[in-house]
Amino acid sequence: MSTAGEHHDHDRDAWLREGLLGAHPPAGEWDRPGAHPGAARVSISFTADSGTERRVRVPAGVSVFDAASWNGIAIDSTCGGHGTCKKCRVRVVDDDGADPPVSRLDPRAFSPDELRAGWRLACLAPANTDIRVEVPPLVTRPKAATVGVGRQVILRPAVQKRFVELAEPTLADQQTDLERLLAALDDLDLRVDLHTVRALPRVLRVADFRVTAVVVDDVLIDVEAGDTTDRSFGIAFDLGTTTVVATLLDLSTGTPQAVGSVLNAQQPFGADVITRISATMLDPDSLGRLTERAHATLDELAQEVCREARVAPAEVYEIAMAGNATMTQLALGIDPEPVGVAPFVMAARSFPEVRARDIGVRVHPGARAYLFPALGAYVGGDIVAGMLASGMDRDRRVRLFIDVGTNCEIVLSDGDRLLATAAPAGPAFEGAAIRCGMRAAPGAIEGVTIGDEDVSLQVIGDVEPAGLCGSGLVDAVAALVGAGLVDGTGRLADGTAVRSRRPRLGARLASVGEERVFVLRWAGDEGDLARAVYLSQRDIRELQFAKAAIATGWRLLVEEMGLAARDVQQVLLAGSFGSYLSPASAVRIGLVPEVSVLRIVSAGNVAGEGAKMALLSMRERAGARTLLKEVRYVELSDRPDFNDRFIDQLAFPS
Amino acid sequence: MSTAGEHHDHDRDAWLREGLLGAHPPAGEWDRPGAHPGAARVSISFTADSGTERRVRVPAGVSVFDAASWNGIAIDSTCGGHGTCKKCRVRVVDDDGADPPVSRLDPRAFSPDELRAGWRLACLAPANTDIRVEVPPLVTRPKAATVGVGRQVILRPAVQKRFVELAEPTLADQQTDLERLLAALDDLDLRVDLHTVRALPRVLRVADFRVTAVVVDDVLIDVEAGDTTDRSFGIAFDLGTTTVVATLLDLSTGTPQAVGSVLNAQQPFGADVITRISATMLDPDSLGRLTERAHATLDELAQEVCREARVAPAEVYEIAMAGNATMTQLALGIDPEPVGVAPFVMAARSFPEVRARDIGVRVHPGARAYLFPALGAYVGGDIVAGMLASGMDRDRRVRLFIDVGTNCEIVLSDGDRLLATAAPAGPAFEGAAIRCGMRAAPGAIEGVTIGDEDVSLQVIGDVEPAGLCGSGLVDAVAALVGAGLVDGTGRLADGTAVRSRRPRLGARLASVGEERVFVLRWAGDEGDLARAVYLSQRDIRELQFAKAAIATGWRLLVEEMGLAARDVQQVLLAGSFGSYLSPASAVRIGLVPEVSVLRIVSAGNVAGEGAKMALLSMRERAGARTLLKEVRYVELSDRPDFNDRFIDQLAFPS
């Protein structure tokens, strides 16, 4: 990689021609059905029977039911929002005095008088203007779970299990087995898997017609003997490029029962997405093998979490998955090449009819898979999941979300609008292009403090340091800047000059060939650079490049939103590096806006948390769809001033 | 089997206890959604742009589009009746002056003025009362084919192939591949098979974005490079107990390209349905093997007709199948035991989401399978298909349909009402319980004429006769009755008495043990009964029993309909025996009403013809659903007079 000086001259168009992941995909007006960029928000005031009033703001067009669910307000429902159970009755009063729209199914649920009085089915009532909604007392007792960044999720999973006791057939009552069962589920309008029809005669008769129907959204996927309603599970996956995480949830309570994580078995094909895509371009068999490995990884985790939680795989009826566009396409066996090569086009944004087995996960044979939709080739399902889990669109504060990785996705929201962009940070954070870089594993330096004369290191696993990982890199550079050993332009101080006043620190400044380095740990004798762990000048340039891309990204978003950097009230750092970056170091090097470190939050595995939310609530899936409509993608490469700003951001703040 | 005398005393309840297929399932009020037993009919008068007027009668509630299609009147449509293409515009005038109902989608297709003038989408406009419909000139040129018993079918197959030329993506237009394709099919509201999404990126780019979308009903099952719209095929199957027939149709023209038939490979498990069901009850592995054999049979035929027509299996996008309830359930791998054992309950009446591969047929991997719905355990999808192909509900004449087999299904229609029943004929027609009985194969006597002294035989294959098949049995008995050698009670004449006046014929009357026989062919020397082919007294009783059941059946239907036997204007004989029965013989023995033989029609393989109609037109599938609602099942065993009438019908007419 070139030095900072050469970066100044890097030709952006060359990046585009090379089709590197680092190239900036243009925003354009990407086609998404029903897109309302920056949709106006409306205000809904919910009044419960007790008199309590809650005011929420949602994008215009969102259903009253979703608006309530997203804000922890429970309304009865048993049909998953399809309008068939008729239980989500609310009274809607339009602040302007207009009649709220009547849906096709409202006349089946209400008398004409009730309709005139404003009674509506909440799942079909859109909030197009400011309205007030009266919610009758609950008949059911829906549970809730806390997921993501403190988000309260009312449990509305797609999976429903219903125990029914059917009358046995007689010569006078020869209803077919299926008709008999469907009649007992008449608040639902169901499609039926063939698997269910095959199992039905035997299961009914073995169980004396007392059976449990297993429904996922609007599909009857199985029927089980007796009452098995307490055994209902799902698995949420974060399909990361490097690490894959699975959480098994009890869908009756919303609580995790087991968590597992494993390295993505696609690693041998490349550490990052672009290398894996290149592999498929070089060898046509690679796609199949990459897909197999994705499947093997996901299934291994599924079996593991089931074992740990003592759950039979057949008791897992749905899975949810958050992954970037390339990971998602590879898992589905879809050629990812067009995603990685100009003009950077996905095969599809969302995938409705997917079964768990289609991505290799062997749980219940009819189990469905919910895959997070992607905003675009560069802001994938994992980011959408992260936004959901962070409540990016449900918070009045100005919040900045940064997923730090090879490609950094940045999202800015002010409670009304959301802007997103992707900044090509390069491989610095992966530890790949760093001289002594390594993955975050035992032996990796993840923290660095530099005192007057001493250097103290935090090493993963508390073993002898073997290298430097992403968060260690940031810490090291921040510490060096703080200690005055790296200047504002990013240049390592000359050893001779430093040794005069700070001999011990100065002794660490050396050269490897023509290049200046700072030794973090001598392996053997001092002076023996061959086995030392050090930070090189080039490494610092890599970091400058990466942080300049990110800083330019969020600065442009902030400007686009008509704000200033100081208006940012919270910064969420996500991604495998973001979670471990020291907030103070991040501020020190100018990676994030200069806010109090208390306002910089490690968002943890928000993609995985988003997947959990989707599993626990179909309303949150509606939330993801709404996010897609609301978020406006900002194309960095279109900016004529991008290069100049990028150059400005290379420097470390004083 | 017992003699006729013993039959007089046969205990009907014993039959029920034994759970024989011959037992009469009660009608009861079987649950079918939206059942309108004997739905009232309405009159629609269609006026074309040319001024031509056609008047048709359909059950109330049928859509204007279906009513037109069933009667050869073409109305433009490209979306398969889902209301999305908005091309099926008609102007509806209610004879009473009322406004015709407005569907949810009509306001999207018409202005308020047009709606007030009566313009509606034909596919969503129900004919609830007598109406007049003005049909604008056609823009498209739908083809039609003649199928079944002279039925004109306007081609509206579920399979549609659309050639589209898409704009290639650019950095300014990054629509996903799927969005790009769906936008070009925007008159359709499609679900998408994962298979299609997987294939899409590669096919689009290989074909320069000029591709053919393959749609089956509302599912996008594949995308093919270039323009392949002229290659669109389907296979119609008649899945009979003994014989399976497949016809490969070109869906662009409606014409058959190849036909094949093969013996049902389930034979080793039993010649008839009840024996096969017993096999599954005795050995749990039998179900799997019976299913495999059904699959093997269907797939073998599919491959054969494809080869013969020079069609690649992957060019077959849909199949249709007509079979009785047991055959259908076995093909789907569903335990058939409850169908064959009291209270005779099917797993399901219809099976919406079935793929060809679910019944073992390896054509296009995403190909769908349409399976005819059954009326009940005893009037199966094959009968419904036969009714469709015979136009039983679209004809003003009084028509009697009899499917002659082990279980005879009988349907009577008068143009307004349909009644159906099932009569347990026993195995006589299968040739099984007949002393010298055999299948209809080379060597089987299928026709018998008896002159003053001579007996002449028609033998299948024109070889030496080896036995007697079902139609030969009927012919033989009819001939003997006509020659006075069998009396009205069914008793074979005494040889001695006959020999005096008709020595040659008399010589054929002999005895095997205690039993009288009539020798049809001496194998070696006259008198050598051991190798002769003869008809025994017991055989005649078998036939009497069978025809009494059938005759009682249709007589009760005729009475139930308030008619007399002489009111029957046409008799359709279906089934493998019905097609070959001599109409004159059928009348002679009282199997059918006494009508001119010119009015007795061999309906041929109507089940197969019905399957072809369903393949060629989704409107005919709607026709099958309408038939199910219209037909009222009459339970014979409930009749207190059944036994007496049965006894009356044992005799041969004088």
Side-chain angles (χ1 to χ4, degrees), chain A residues 26 31 104 170-171 174-179 191 194 198 205 332 334 338 343 345-347 349 353 358, chain B residues 26 31 104 169-171 174-179 191 194 198 205 332 338 343 345-347 349 353 358:
Chain A
D31 187 308
R104 186 167 58 97
T170 64
L171 291 172
Q174 290 176 312
Q175 278 186 87
T176 67
D177 292 340
L178 184 59
E179 285 161 348
R191 292 159 46 203
L194 184 57
R198 283 179 176 143
R205 288 160 182 81
L332 288 165
I334 302 170
V345 165
M346 298 187 291
R349 187 174 313 281
E353 305 262 341
D358 291 327
Chain B
D31 186 308
R104 185 167 58 95
T170 64
L171 291 172
Q174 289 176 312
Q175 278 186 86
T176 66
D177 293 339
L178 184 60
E179 285 161 349
R191 289 160 48 201
L194 184 56
R198 281 179 178 141
R205 288 159 182 81
L332 288 165
V345 166
M346 299 187 290
R349 187 175 313 281
E353 306 261 343
D358 291 327

Side-chain angles (χ1 to χ4, degrees), chain A residues 149 238 243 245 386 390 401-405 408 429 440 446 460 469-472 474-475 571-584 586 591-592 600-609:
Chain A
V149 184
D238 169 18
T243 312
V245 184
S390 312
F401 170 101
I402 306 177
D403 188 299
V404 186
C408 287
F429 294 111
E446 59 171 351
I460 294 176
C469 69
S471 46
V474 172
D475 246 28
V571 177
L572 297 107
L573 295 174
S576 28
F577 311 104
S579 307
Y580 296 100
L581 288 181
S582 148
L591 181 70
V592 299
I600 299 175
V601 174
S602 161
N605 179 14
V606 278
E609 290 298 299

Side-chain angles (χ1 to χ4, degrees), chain A residues 395-400 412-415 558 561 563-564 567-571:
Chain A
D395 195 316
R396 304 304 299 275
R397 296 173 293 173
V398 177
R399 299 164 81 209
L400 180 68
L412 179 70
S413 83
D414 70 348
V558 162
M561 206 173 263
L563 301 171
D567 296 323
V568 174
Q569 295 168 274
Q570 187 186 56
V571 177

Side-chain angles (χ1 to χ4, degrees), chain B residues 463-525:
Chain B
V463 296
E464 269 302 294
L468 199 59
C469 69
S471 46
L473 169 69
V474 171
D475 247 24
V477 173
L480 286 168
V481 169
L485 297 172
V486 166
D487 69 12
T489 72
R491 202 158 168 281
L492 260 177
D494 174 64
T496 319
V498 175
R499 268 189 283 273
S500 60
R501 276 185 299 122
R502 288 180 286 180
R504 298 221 0 236
L505 281 181
R508 291 172 176 274
L509 287 160
S511 289
V512 172
E514 289 292 319
E515 196 181 10
R516 291 186 184 178
V517 305
F518 180 88
V519 177
L520 294 160
R521 166 79 90 198
W522 296 105
D525 308 322

Side-chain angles (χ1 to χ4, degrees), chain B residues 548-621:
Chain B
I550 292 170
T552 305
W554 59 253
R555 283 178 187 277
L556 280 170
L557 290 190
V558 164
E559 224 171 82
E560 186 73 21
M561 206 174 263
L563 299 171
R566 65 180 173 278
D567 295 324
V568 175
Q569 292 169 277
Q570 188 187 54
V571 178
L572 298 107
L573 296 174
S576 28
F577 311 104
S579 305
Y580 296 101
L581 287 181
S582 149
S585 298
V587 173
R588 189 93 225 18
I589 65 170
L591 179 71
V592 298
E594 208 174 313
V595 299
S596 155
V597 294
L598 296 172
R599 292 172 176 266
I600 299 175
V601 174
S602 162
N605 179 14
V606 278
E609 290 297 299
K612 287 161 68 178
M613 288 173 71
L615 204 53
L616 295 179
S617 171
M618 300 221 25
R619 311 312 351 132
E620 296 299 340
R621 297 179 208 190

Side-chain angles (χ1 to χ4, degrees), chain A residues 30-115:
Chain A
W30 72 97
D31 187 308
R32 53 195 193 296
H36 309 294
R41 288 194 169 234
V42 296
S43 184
I44 307 179
S45 178
F46 285 97
T47 310
D49 189 60
S50 57
T52 324
E53 190 176 325
R54 281 278 308 279
R55 195 178 202 79
V56 308
R57 281 170 63 76
V58 292
V62 166
S63 75
V64 168
F65 192 80
D66 283 351
S69 298
W70 298 345
N71 290 282
I73 297 166
I75 297 174
D76 284 323
S77 165
T78 56
C79 72
H82 286 282
T84 52
C85 77
K86 307 207 258 288
K87 295 186 173 103
C88 60
R89 304 161 54 96
V90 294
R91 190 165 163 268
V92 178
V93 180
D94 188 312
D95 284 356
D96 295 334
D99 284 330
V102 177
S103 77
R104 186 167 58 97
L105 297 178
D106 281 321
R108 296 191 198 180
F110 302 108
S111 69
D113 281 342
E114 287 174 320
L115 286 174

Side-chain angles (χ1 to χ4, degrees), chain B residues 193 195 216 219 221 316-317 354-357 363-369:
Chain B
D193 274 357
H195 166 91
V216 180
V219 187
I221 71 164
V316 176
Y317 303 107
V354 178
R355 293 184 183 218
R357 67 181 187 218
V363 287
H364 188 283
R368 296 314 203 250

Side-chain angles (χ1 to χ4, degrees), chain B residues 83-138:
Chain B
T84 52
C85 76
K86 308 208 257 289
K87 295 186 173 101
C88 61
R89 305 161 54 96
V90 293
R91 192 167 161 264
V92 179
V93 179
D94 188 313
D95 285 354
D96 295 336
D99 284 330
V102 177
S103 78
R104 185 167 58 95
L105 296 178
D106 282 321
R108 296 192 198 180
F110 301 108
S111 69
D113 281 343
E114 287 174 320
L115 287 174
R116 266 187 295 272
W119 285 94
R120 300 288 185 270
L121 295 177
C123 64
L124 298 173
N128 292 327
T129 57
D130 292 349
I131 52 176
R132 278 174 291 130
V133 177
E134 292 168 18
V135 182
L138 285 173

